[in-house]
Amino acid sequence: MNELYVGALINGLLIGAVYALIATGLNLIFGVMRVVNFAHGEMVVIGMYMGYGLWRLTGWPPIATIPFALIGLFAMGYGFQRWIGNAFVARPQHVQFVLYIGLALVITGVHAVIFGPDPMGIQSAASFDVYRVAGLRIDATRLHAALAACVLIALLWAWLRFSLTGKALHAAADNLLGARAIGIRTNHIFALAMGMGAACAGAAGALLAPLYDTQPYLASEFTLLAFIIVIVGGLASLPGALLGGVLVGVAEAFAAVVIEPSAKSLFSYGLLIIVLVLMPQGLLGGRQGAGR
Amino acid sequence: MSRQWWAALVFVAALALLPLGASDYLLSALTLVFIAALVGIAWNLMMGFAGQLSLGHALYFGVGAYTVAILAERYGVTPWIGMGIAFAAGAAIALLIGALGFRFAVRGVYFALLTIAFAEFGRIVFEHWSFVGGTGGFYLKALSATNVPLISLRGGARFNYYALLVTLTFAWWLSVAVVRSAIGYRWRAIRDDEDAARALGVPAFRLKLLAVALSGGLTAIAGGWSGLIGGSLFPDSVLGMRLSIDFIVAPIVGGIGTLFGPILGAFIVVPLNEWSRELAQAAGINGLNLLIYGVLLMAVIIVAPQGGWPWIARRLGLVERVPCRPGEQARNGVAIAASDSTTGDTHGQTSGRTQGQTPSRAQGQTSDRATQ
Amino acid sequence: MSALLSVDQLQSGYEGVAILNGIDLHVDRGETVAVVGANGAGKTTLIRTLGGLLKPRAGSILFDAKEMAGSASDRVCEAGLAHVPEGRQLFATLSVEDNLRLGGHLNRSRARMVRNLTRVYDIFPRLGERRRQQAGSLSGGEQQMVAIGRALMAEPILMMLDEPSLGLSPIMVATLFDVIGQLNRDGISILLVEQNVAESLAVAARGYVLENGEVVLAGTSAALLGDDRVRRAYLGL
Amino acid sequence: MSAILQLKGVTRRYSGLVAVSDVSFDIEQGSITALIGPNGAGKTTTFGMIAGAISPSAGSIHYEGVRIDGVAPERLCAMGIARTFQIVRPLQGMSVIDNVMIGALNRTSNLKIARSNALDLLDRVGLGTKAFEMASNLTLPDRKLLETAKALATGPKLLMLDEVMAGLRPAEADRVMDVLSAVRAEGVTILLIEHVMRVVMAIAQHVIVLNHGELIARGTPSAIVTHPRVIESYLGTKAIHP
Amino acid sequence: MTGKHPSLRSDRRRLMKWAGASAALGSLSFPALVRAQSGPLKVGVILPLSGVLSFPGIATRRGTELAVKMFAEQGVTLDVTYADYESKPENGRVVAERLIRDGCTILIGAWDSGATISAAQACEAAKVPLVVNVGSARQITEQGFTQVFRNFSPSDDIVAHGVQRFKEILRPGFEPKTAVVLHVNDTFGQATSGAVKALWEKSGMGIRIVDMISYDARARDLSVEVAKAKASGADLVAPITRVNDAILIVREMVKQDYNPMAIYGPSSPGPYEKAFTDAMGKYANDYLVSVPWYDASRALTKRVLDRWSKAYPDGRFELNSGFGWESIQVVADAFQRAKSNRSADLHEALRQTHINDHIMAGGPIVFDGKGQNPNIGIPLLQVQNQEPVVVGPKDAAQAAVKLPMTRWSERA
């Protein structure tokens, strides 16, 4: 039984790191623009298809897809925001909502048209690799994905923290008027934030491709998952996203062990409701900004 | 009677005469349109007039559907009563969510996410609740030969069509009555600026709860009808997130905060969906419908972010003339766009942006709008 | 000598509301000019329009012989027109130094960044001491210094200050106006927008009085301070 | 004359920063009182605390003998306290008359009566011709007038105006002053934050001066303008010797 | 994509029809009701061709299309229209109504139980018979529908048959004492797991169910579920799955090196699908399942299989395609006997159905008073060499059952 709990904990931690990468993207977008990207899960799925497609074409492991997913999704996110999204930043939420839902539908539709509705799994000999540590079996694919996710989050964090452009993102999140007053091109910054957020989602998707079978209709679940993590961790807080991701990953794993696996999301939504009502800033959302 | 009322009357009369020459399929499709319009009206009361964004209306819809169906099937309670209970159940749940949200000042995006959380929570509960059939679903018995539609409220396509037409007309009338009453004025004040409204003596908490309850109750009735018509209920199909999203697209496309918008939106969105599905099927390309639907949705919101009705109303001259005091005709000669058919560009945005901001950001925002 | 900044029949406003109804003003090279007026007279709208934050509806903004009307704020900054916004609008959660660095984000050269930082710390030694502190935690006066320092980082030819004395103690205000005078002597032209009529006209050579989006009075500071209307309306005398 | 409003030791802190510190004053029934002071002196915070938008950190506020600090704004409005906002906040999605009707509905739930009351008020403040325009289309001076009309429509006993004259032309300000005088003549007490000294001098019976969150002087307008601390902190020393 | 949708290539005609239909809907005109009295029979087939259920939906459609082709060669011409409800059960009714509007006088559908009942409501109202191809909820024939004819077994029947088959393979050396049920929490999973719980303990197999683990139908990761099953220490794992989750479960079992005596899916789709055997390779072997299946010994079945392998060389003929095929057989048979395309005549003919020569295991196709075919055979299948083969009952077995299953680590 002990093995079960420790196994669930490790599993939750590892998948939580990948969740955190998804949520970090959502958070970055929200932090800078105060726009909720309802197409976030769809962007994850794009990354998954990129991972799957590259694996099918070349046999490369999906981790090798990360540069492609980063670049591809960044370009997409940037372009969308620059040409379409920016006009909506100052619009009412419900209007933004429809725009991003529209985008989500388009992406899902394109996936279905190109790849069909069937789930596509990546499976090679490596899929069954495990690391044995002290009697525990740790899924290699999952561990690699978690490590890659952590590295990406760290890189993003460092970029936001130390580069001038990263600081400009932070500045725009902090004080839009001030940013514009000193000549920061907010149109570019917004597009950059959307691009980076999308790139996070895409990279997470590439990492998930060997873990979950890719399907066009998976997306909304990822979106909801990212919402939960971001709210629980704290909107616009990067460590919050990391904490939230791991917390939700572990909580779901434990909920699956302790209660019914099919009801495990009940736990996440319950957590979401409690945090929304009692701690609307989230666990780590007390401070504001994209980079701290 | 104003031109708006005449237009409504003509519209309802045309719809009432339609079944004389239409096929069951067309009637059923229109019944779906009516259900979408009904939910749209309900959602619009909450969002368009009281300014509270809900993305979890499927919860009320599903609860209504299950309430009416289970009462009828298991306890033999006529849906006439079941609809009332469904309304009460939907309103009660909405009150609970609203009270929790408003009491703890959960606003804007956060309130929307709270409604999603409750809806998904509700769906999962229903999926694991054997009393309602869980994921196995809940089914209504086939209609017997002795069925009297007016008692069981179940019948063929034509009956369903008229039933929904009557319900929709009633709901529309109700929404007009409420929106044109003092309550409606105060709702819009809350929507535009809650703090300012409260300073003018508007009891925002109570009125927001009223909006939420009315909206939840009406949505539950729509759900009740949908359950009676479909005959089979599954948590995922009557309580799912997808439904919540479908619900709000129509009123947004039609024009939020307008009385005709949700109906117009339903007449645009439902056939559009149906049409794109048929196109995808005819072409044999899976997902083409989503692609078309998504592109059109984005196109609509980019071209007409205020929705279709304000645009049409202006062109048809169906705008409201504000009633005036006797002897002041000259002043009121200028017809203005119906005050209920325009939405502030900023509402929702402000409330959504204030939470979770440092003072500096909030200040930046407000002074941005201040006109110095 | 031709004017460094010359504004001709400028009209501007927000969503459907006209605020500026045709403003004419000019700032010569090396000059300090004050624009005074009550709350709501259109001062901030003027500054934001000049700074590229608002698109003018009509009129021209000629800066350093280049047409700036309709240019975005990055082009305006690049041209050497810096904007110290009302309420300072610092990046409260970033450090003082990060705020300053962002002010110089348009100069991509590292050496210039360092040089400019040194210059700002020379002018405001207090900021050097507090370079690692979060900008939001500073006092009002220090924040105003950061705001000015941030604008200096862009190596401006003309600096526009919007209500810099807002919320500052009298001593701070005095210090501030001293600094403004110093900057001017260093060769930066100043366009000062203030409610504090007496102080700002004292530091400026010329002034404009703005009312309801129009220039109602213009002249040398001394003339304006001596004008009965100004004295009655703004000085309470 | 008795005090309609009493502030006792009212203090408001924001995370360490003291915006208003230990402010006490009374406002006489039926008077016009002006609250002045430099920007950031704590006037608007004081205002917000009286109007229920902000809760004081310490101290108490009594209105007609009832303690009201922490009471919700809509209840205060029902009790007869009406306010305007410094940053004018017309309800953007509504017409001018609808804006005023929201206030009028505080006194009656009959829409016809509320509408006619609102029209009367709009006529009174000089916005009658613009009653059916969208509030978002008004110019700034008109928005200021609309704010006043909205507040008046609630039927206040205490009317609180935050910089309502700012940005008005002298002629417009005169008109508002006439309205205010008339309102006062009906027995309404008025508290206003004002920058335009001409206005303060003309219509206020009492002036309260705040600086850095502290009350530094109070008295008649003529006494205040010669008060050395006021001159030093607010009007500026140089103002006296141009 | 196009390979899966053969209709794409030659469908200008349908596109024209669609254009007409959508124009009618768009302009709210009044299309006349088309109900021909003679001529070819218009059949409407309701399937989930997109959405989460599209995988089996498309397999069913292929079987259906093959049957249409084969019967046409025999002179029975059916004009078939397919309608997709996008895996949303609530769409069943509208889709059925659309088909009826288009003049279909008999419908086939709807693969999913919920959609079937939803469509049945429309059929009941219009008095148009509905031949159920796949759909295992007992309620389909228990709701009082008069127009429903189901050529598929309710899940509890399948489970009960499965118990018999499973008992037959128990022998010394293979006597599991405990079992853990892993089931998808959807309509089908809930019904089947309920039946397993009700029937196994009183079946005298001596197998105790130690845990019932339900997981979400959209679950993407079953590692914790499998860990939980492993922790239960059960001898037998009984997954009730669709195809994807079957893959996830076995993959996790391999990773966690969980080697029960057997994996046996009662009434469970998945392991016989090509997607499963392709994905799992050697790890697919030894998996047992009891489902309705085709009887490969019959000449007709051999012919169908032959045609199938030519038409879909990349696909496997299995139960969905099999029942898809048989649904057309039932309709064609009724049409021939009724000699009419009127719904009432077809309904009468369907009630008299008695088809001896068909492809799925079991007795002749007949329908009882509730419209249920009680003669459906449920063999036991095992994946051997990455192909499903019948291993029980003995008289139908194509190969001997291999038990207990080979440990994952010892598979070559």
Side-chain angles (χ1 to χ4, degrees), chain D residues 57-69:
Chain D
S57 313
S60 67
I61 303 171
H62 290 260
Y63 166 75
E64 292 186 326
V66 184
R67 185 158 173 178
I68 56 157
D69 44 290

PDB file of all heavy atoms in Angstrom, chain D residues 57-69:
ATOM      1  N   SER D  57     -10.017  52.944   9.391  1.00  0.00           N
ATOM      2  CA  SER D  57      -9.221  52.026  10.200  1.00  0.00           C
ATOM      3  C   SER D  57      -9.458  52.307  11.675  1.00  0.00           C
ATOM      4  O   SER D  57      -9.325  51.416  12.514  1.00  0.00           O
ATOM      5  CB  SER D  57      -7.731  52.179   9.887  1.00  0.00           C
ATOM      6  OG  SER D  57      -7.515  52.188   8.510  1.00  0.00           O
ATOM      7  N   ALA D  58      -9.762  53.543  11.994  1.00  0.00           N
ATOM      8  CA  ALA D  58     -10.057  53.901  13.385  1.00  0.00           C
ATOM      9  C   ALA D  58     -10.962  55.121  13.371  1.00  0.00           C
ATOM     10  O   ALA D  58     -11.070  55.819  12.368  1.00  0.00           O
ATOM     11  CB  ALA D  58      -8.769  54.208  14.139  1.00  0.00           C
ATOM     12  N   GLY D  59     -11.616  55.358  14.495  1.00  0.00           N
ATOM     13  CA  GLY D  59     -12.481  56.523  14.608  1.00  0.00           C
ATOM     14  C   GLY D  59     -13.917  56.196  14.260  1.00  0.00           C
ATOM     15  O   GLY D  59     -14.241  55.056  13.883  1.00  0.00           O
ATOM     16  N   SER D  60     -14.771  57.184  14.389  1.00  0.00           N
ATOM     17  CA  SER D  60     -16.183  56.928  14.116  1.00  0.00           C
ATOM     18  C   SER D  60     -16.782  58.087  13.330  1.00  0.00           C
ATOM     19  O   SER D  60     -16.283  59.206  13.353  1.00  0.00           O
ATOM     20  CB  SER D  60     -16.946  56.747  15.435  1.00  0.00           C
ATOM     21  OG  SER D  60     -16.947  57.972  16.131  1.00  0.00           O
ATOM     22  N   ILE D  61     -17.851  57.759  12.600  1.00  0.00           N
ATOM     23  CA  ILE D  61     -18.572  58.771  11.833  1.00  0.00           C
ATOM     24  C   ILE D  61     -20.041  58.663  12.233  1.00  0.00           C
ATOM     25  O   ILE D  61     -20.607  57.572  12.223  1.00  0.00           O
ATOM     26  CB  ILE D  61     -18.418  58.538  10.317  1.00  0.00           C
ATOM     27  CG1 ILE D  61     -16.931  58.521   9.940  1.00  0.00           C
ATOM     28  CG2 ILE D  61     -19.154  59.613   9.529  1.00  0.00           C
ATOM     29  CD1 ILE D  61     -16.667  58.098   8.514  1.00  0.00           C
ATOM     30  N   HIS D  62     -20.629  59.780  12.621  1.00  0.00           N
ATOM     31  CA  HIS D  62     -22.047  59.778  12.981  1.00  0.00           C
ATOM     32  C   HIS D  62     -22.815  60.676  12.035  1.00  0.00           C
ATOM     33  O   HIS D  62     -22.358  61.765  11.701  1.00  0.00           O
ATOM     34  CB  HIS D  62     -22.243  60.269  14.423  1.00  0.00           C
ATOM     35  CG  HIS D  62     -21.728  59.289  15.426  1.00  0.00           C
ATOM     36  ND1 HIS D  62     -22.548  58.422  16.101  1.00  0.00           N
ATOM     37  CD2 HIS D  62     -20.468  59.020  15.849  1.00  0.00           C
ATOM     38  CE1 HIS D  62     -21.818  57.665  16.907  1.00  0.00           C
ATOM     39  NE2 HIS D  62     -20.545  58.008  16.766  1.00  0.00           N
ATOM     40  N   TYR D  63     -23.972  60.180  11.617  1.00  0.00           N
ATOM     41  CA  TYR D  63     -24.840  60.982  10.747  1.00  0.00           C
ATOM     42  C   TYR D  63     -26.206  61.030  11.417  1.00  0.00           C
ATOM     43  O   TYR D  63     -26.782  59.974  11.733  1.00  0.00           O
ATOM     44  CB  TYR D  63     -24.924  60.301   9.374  1.00  0.00           C
ATOM     45  CG  TYR D  63     -26.025  60.800   8.478  1.00  0.00           C
ATOM     46  CD1 TYR D  63     -25.912  62.035   7.848  1.00  0.00           C
ATOM     47  CD2 TYR D  63     -27.162  60.034   8.252  1.00  0.00           C
ATOM     48  CE1 TYR D  63     -26.918  62.482   7.022  1.00  0.00           C
ATOM     49  CE2 TYR D  63     -28.168  60.474   7.422  1.00  0.00           C
ATOM     50  CZ  TYR D  63     -28.050  61.707   6.794  1.00  0.00           C
ATOM     51  OH  TYR D  63     -29.053  62.142   5.974  1.00  0.00           O
ATOM     52  N   GLU D  64     -26.686  62.214  11.671  1.00  0.00           N
ATOM     53  CA  GLU D  64     -27.940  62.405  12.402  1.00  0.00           C
ATOM     54  C   GLU D  64     -27.941  61.563  13.675  1.00  0.00           C
ATOM     55  O   GLU D  64     -28.922  60.915  14.024  1.00  0.00           O
ATOM     56  CB  GLU D  64     -29.137  62.037  11.522  1.00  0.00           C
ATOM     57  CG  GLU D  64     -29.316  63.023  10.378  1.00  0.00           C
ATOM     58  CD  GLU D  64     -30.582  62.766   9.579  1.00  0.00           C
ATOM     59  OE1 GLU D  64     -30.938  61.586   9.446  1.00  0.00           O
ATOM     60  OE2 GLU D  64     -31.198  63.740   9.127  1.00  0.00           O
ATOM     61  N   GLY D  65     -26.812  61.517  14.307  1.00  0.00           N
ATOM     62  CA  GLY D  65     -26.713  60.814  15.583  1.00  0.00           C
ATOM     63  C   GLY D  65     -26.521  59.313  15.471  1.00  0.00           C
ATOM     64  O   GLY D  65     -26.285  58.623  16.447  1.00  0.00           O
ATOM     65  N   VAL D  66     -26.577  58.766  14.227  1.00  0.00           N
ATOM     66  CA  VAL D  66     -26.419  57.325  14.047  1.00  0.00           C
ATOM     67  C   VAL D  66     -25.004  57.054  13.551  1.00  0.00           C
ATOM     68  O   VAL D  66     -24.517  57.741  12.652  1.00  0.00           O
ATOM     69  CB  VAL D  66     -27.431  56.800  13.006  1.00  0.00           C
ATOM     70  CG1 VAL D  66     -27.341  55.279  12.896  1.00  0.00           C
ATOM     71  CG2 VAL D  66     -28.824  57.226  13.364  1.00  0.00           C
ATOM     72  N   ARG D  67     -24.374  56.031  14.106  1.00  0.00           N
ATOM     73  CA  ARG D  67     -23.021  55.727  13.658  1.00  0.00           C
ATOM     74  C   ARG D  67     -23.073  55.066  12.277  1.00  0.00           C
ATOM     75  O   ARG D  67     -23.806  54.100  12.065  1.00  0.00           O
ATOM     76  CB  ARG D  67     -22.345  54.793  14.658  1.00  0.00           C
ATOM     77  CG  ARG D  67     -20.910  54.549  14.287  1.00  0.00           C
ATOM     78  CD  ARG D  67     -20.091  54.099  15.457  1.00  0.00           C
ATOM     79  NE  ARG D  67     -18.771  53.743  14.945  1.00  0.00           N
ATOM     80  CZ  ARG D  67     -17.774  53.333  15.686  1.00  0.00           C
ATOM     81  NH1 ARG D  67     -17.929  53.217  16.978  1.00  0.00           N
ATOM     82  NH2 ARG D  67     -16.618  53.028  15.134  1.00  0.00           N
ATOM     83  N   ILE D  68     -22.324  55.566  11.329  1.00  0.00           N
ATOM     84  CA  ILE D  68     -22.459  55.075   9.951  1.00  0.00           C
ATOM     85  C   ILE D  68     -21.168  54.546   9.339  1.00  0.00           C
ATOM     86  O   ILE D  68     -21.156  54.120   8.194  1.00  0.00           O
ATOM     87  CB  ILE D  68     -23.010  56.178   9.007  1.00  0.00           C
ATOM     88  CG1 ILE D  68     -22.128  57.409   9.062  1.00  0.00           C
ATOM     89  CG2 ILE D  68     -24.441  56.501   9.328  1.00  0.00           C
ATOM     90  CD1 ILE D  68     -22.244  58.264   7.825  1.00  0.00           C
ATOM     91  N   ASP D  69     -20.050  54.584  10.079  1.00  0.00           N
ATOM     92  CA  ASP D  69     -18.854  54.089   9.398  1.00  0.00           C
ATOM     93  C   ASP D  69     -18.991  52.586   9.154  1.00  0.00           C
ATOM     94  O   ASP D  69     -19.473  51.832  10.013  1.00  0.00           O
ATOM     95  CB  ASP D  69     -17.591  54.411  10.194  1.00  0.00           C
ATOM     96  CG  ASP D  69     -17.740  54.149  11.681  1.00  0.00           C
ATOM     97  OD1 ASP D  69     -18.486  54.909  12.323  1.00  0.00           O
ATOM     98  OD2 ASP D  69     -17.149  53.169  12.171  1.00  0.00           O
TER      99      ASP D  69
END
